Amino acid sequence: MEEAAKPGLSVEECVRRLKRYHYAIKRLHQIFTARITAEPLYELKMGFSLHAHLCAEHVTALRKRVSEMREPPLGLEAVPDPNLAAFFDEILSAPTTEELLLGLYEKAVPVLKAALERHLRDTNPLADQPTVRICRFALLELGDMLAFGAQSITALVDSPCRERLADWLSLLDDCLAATGGLDGTETPSGNSVQRRHSAKPYQYDRVPKRDHRFPDPYNMGVNAEVFLYDEQFPPEPKTLMMFYKRLREVDVPEMMASIITETQSKPWEYYRDMTRQLWDEARHAMMGEAGFANLGIDWPAKVMINYTWSLALNTQLKPIERHAVLYFIEQGLMPKTGKRFEWEVGVASHNPLAALFQDYDWADEVLHARIGRDWYLKDFKNPQEAVRYGDECWSRVLMNWENWRQQGLTQHRNWWPDLYREACLRWGIEPNPEVLAYSTTYQTVRADLKELTGSA
Ligand SMILES: [Fe+2]
Ligand SMILES: [Fe+2]
């Protein structure tokens, strides 16, 4: 009764604060997404993909709560305060990974967490229970994000580096002080803030980058699909090709991040759905990684994961054209030679992990098809036109297979026999000579098995 009788927050004050949390999480979503592509470290790419998704979900919940308490226009797209904008702009524009991590996980997420905890303390838990509920859910995942961030910072930021960045970190504190705290409950400092990294508008870097575990990123020397759909080959080695295909999907978040970042003025649900798919594709990559790890295979040494697809799409196509290619590829995954087939191979292979991963990969793809219908297809006269446009956009993409070799970017080394031999050792079997001899590349056959004419 004591709790239920406390003065709490008026609806007006509650909504005012909610809009600031909403703005903060929306900006975090933007930063996590925008920094996936050019971040070389694989774990950070994956972590940012997850955290972008979590933020997108909490933004959605906060928008809904505001809409329960107010009539439109809700003012959810308004910037609550220029100093709060400067705070997030600075982190978005952080020139190094170290600054980005400190800004995100030692400044932005902690102050957001503190603001939500304060909301729980300040509000009347009976009158404002629906807000209490979403704050508690958000706090749970903000806690996960902070744990990941703390581990990343321990691994990547030493004390000299932190000292070098002390000035900039206090600039972030100044931004918060000038806006009266993230939730605007304190008296603003009245000091003006000098932007540093964000003095010039942020430039998204659409060129994907990878770390040392991707030593041959132009290698297109092993055509996974031709092998997978060849009936003469048994299912066991096909699981290796499927793990390879999954892990190679690290290029989908790199590419989808570019669509999300460079597409403005869509309804919020577009960003939420696209970010869910982005995270799913990051999960698919990690399923491939787990598949290799489970077999005891050192994938960075044995499997050459390339980035040619995200690189080509991000640098050669406009955002809508990239979405068209994505849609075109994904609508081709539903028929016979697609996700069902991959799952059947997994089941037949007696590798339970391959079967499990393909089962969920297939389920995710059903969701992605729905997202494609909702956000890509409906801008076309009919589905045929949408598919034709996707096909046309993909056919325009130049994959310079031969050029890359001539420029010395790759030798398209056939790494397959090495990987297969290693897996046979783990399985305790003799290599099958035909499987071992497989040597089809992507020079003339694309991943959707389309024959390429010309040598572009
Ligand atoms: Fe996928
Ligand atoms: Fe997908």
Side-chain angles (χ1 to χ4, degrees):
M1 276 303 154
E2 202 183 310
E3 278 283 283
K6 81 182 198 186
L9 306 170
S10 66
V11 168
E12 170 116 359
E13 172 61 8
C14 179
V15 169
R16 190 195 65 74
R17 292 193 194 183
L18 283 177
K19 285 188 185 178
R20 291 180 69 116
Y21 316 149
H22 167 264
Y23 176 77
I25 307 184
K26 205 166 74 161
R27 293 301 310 269
L28 281 171
H29 164 264
Q30 175 205 20
I31 299 169
F32 282 124
T33 308
R35 299 296 297 253
I36 291 168
T37 310
E39 171 51 56
L41 269 178
Y42 169 72
E43 286 82 0
L44 292 182
K45 259 188 218 295
M46 300 293 100
F48 290 173
S49 299
L50 171 60
H51 295 177
H53 161 63
L54 299 181
C55 288
E57 295 302 310
H58 294 297
V59 167
T60 306
L62 285 163
R63 295 175 78 90
K64 180 162 167 285
R65 180 63 181 139
V66 171
S67 77
E68 290 167 1
M69 293 191 284
R70 282 287 176 260
E71 294 292 332
L74 303 174
L76 287 165
E77 312 319 323
V79 178
D81 181 272
N83 292 308
L84 194 57
F87 175 78
F88 288 105
D89 290 347
E90 283 291 311
I91 301 173
L92 174 66
S93 301
T96 63
T97 298
E98 289 84 350
E99 280 159 294
L100 179 65
L101 292 177
L102 292 172
L104 284 170
Y105 298 112
E106 286 198 0
K107 296 293 175 191
V109 181
V111 291
L112 177 61
K113 177 170 178 269
L116 296 183
E117 285 167 346
R118 178 170 188 159
H119 196 110
L120 295 183
R121 282 197 307 278
D122 289 356
T123 203
N124 180 302
L126 177 63
D128 191 21
Q129 183 278 336
T131 306
V132 169
R133 179 171 175 270
I134 61 172
C135 288
R136 292 178 67 212
F137 278 3
L139 281 167
L140 190 69
E141 295 192 324
L142 290 178
D144 293 345
M145 289 161 67
L146 284 174
F148 174 90
Q151 278 185 295
S152 306
I153 289 169
T154 305
L156 298 168
V157 185
D158 56 13
S159 29
C161 173
R162 193 186 281 276
E163 270 162 42
R164 270 200 315 279
L165 302 176
D167 255 15
W168 179 68
L169 292 170
S170 50
L171 167 62
L172 294 181
D173 294 337
D174 294 345
C175 293
L176 287 172
T179 188
L182 185 130
D183 57 8
T185 54
E186 292 151 32
T187 313
S189 65
N191 299 334
S192 70
V193 211
Q194 281 292 326
R195 284 170 179 259
R196 191 172 309 171
H197 301 325
S198 68
K200 280 195 223 126
Y202 170 69
Q203 276 286 322
Y204 166 67
D205 185 354
R206 61 174 73 84
V207 179
K209 290 189 188 61
R210 298 282 176 89
D211 65 23
H212 61 280
R213 286 160 292 185
F214 303 82
D216 193 0
Y218 290 87
N219 186 312
M220 293 183 77
V222 179
N223 191 312
E225 291 76 15
V226 168
F227 185 86
L228 195 56
Y229 297 120
D230 190 330
E231 284 171 12
Q232 69 153 321
F233 295 127
E236 287 76 10
K238 287 183 178 177
T239 60
L240 301 174
M241 285 299 195
M242 294 198 299
F243 290 147
Y244 162 52
K245 274 167 65 69
R246 295 289 74 80
L247 187 44
R248 194 177 57 189
E249 289 191 61
V250 62
D251 63 3
V252 192
E254 288 169 345
M255 192 286 283
M256 289 196 75
S258 78
I259 303 180
I260 296 168
T261 301
E262 298 186 317
T263 303
Q264 258 107 56
S265 311
K266 291 276 189 184
W268 169 252
E269 288 67 29
Y270 166 91
Y271 299 99
R272 181 219 192 164
D273 283 353
M274 293 289 280
T275 308
R276 166 59 198 271
Q277 180 174 347
L278 179 154
W279 163 235
D280 290 347
E281 308 297 2
R283 272 168 50 234
H284 298 167
M286 288 187 281
M287 294 194 302
E289 180 195 8
F292 283 127
N294 181 53
L295 289 173
I297 288 172
D298 177 13
W299 64 267
K302 298 286 172 192
V303 190
M304 296 301 111
I305 307 292
N306 61 52
Y307 65 7
T308 50
W309 186 76
S310 53
L311 178 68
L313 264 65
N314 284 13
T315 55
Q316 297 175 30
L317 298 182
K318 295 203 287 273
I320 181 64
E321 297 170 332
R322 292 172 215 148
H323 202 167
V325 173
L326 183 70
Y327 182 79
F328 175 74
I329 292 173
E330 292 205 305
Q331 58 87 38
L333 296 177
M334 282 300 133
K336 198 156 68 27
T337 55
K339 291 299 164 190
R340 170 187 276 278
F341 175 79
E342 291 189 337
W343 172 69
E344 287 169 350
V345 170
V347 171
S349 74
H350 305 298
N351 179 333
L353 201 54
L356 180 79
F357 286 163
Q358 291 311 138
D359 203 6
Y360 279 85
D361 185 66
W362 183 12
D364 290 340
E365 212 46 62
V366 176
L367 173 65
H368 301 171
R370 195 275 290 162
I371 293 171
R373 283 196 300 278
D374 285 356
W375 298 114
Y376 169 73
L377 201 64
K378 69 178 180 202
D379 290 340
F380 289 85
K381 276 203 302 280
N382 55 57
Q384 293 79 1
E385 177 58 22
V387 172
R388 193 205 56 74
Y389 182 65
D391 192 10
E392 186 243 302
C393 291
W394 202 19
S395 301
R396 261 197 285 134
V397 174
L398 288 178
M399 288 288 194
N400 289 316
W401 201 94
E402 189 49 43
N403 264 10
W404 291 332
R405 186 154 70 172
Q406 281 165 11
Q407 290 171 45
L409 291 170
T410 182
Q411 293 307 310
H412 296 297
R413 178 173 71 81
N414 180 10
W415 43 265
W416 169 254
D418 248 17
L419 166 67
Y420 175 56
R421 243 188 251 109
E422 173 92 5
C424 287
L425 270 178
R426 311 280 159 190
W427 289 325
I429 59 162
E430 278 302 305
N432 168 333
E434 267 127 65
V435 172
L436 195 62
Y438 181 71
S439 66
T440 304
T441 75
Y442 285 103
Q443 184 172 19
T444 57
V445 188
R446 209 166 64 173
D448 59 348
L449 304 180
K450 185 170 172 164
E451 301 276 337
L452 300 175
T453 48
S455 61

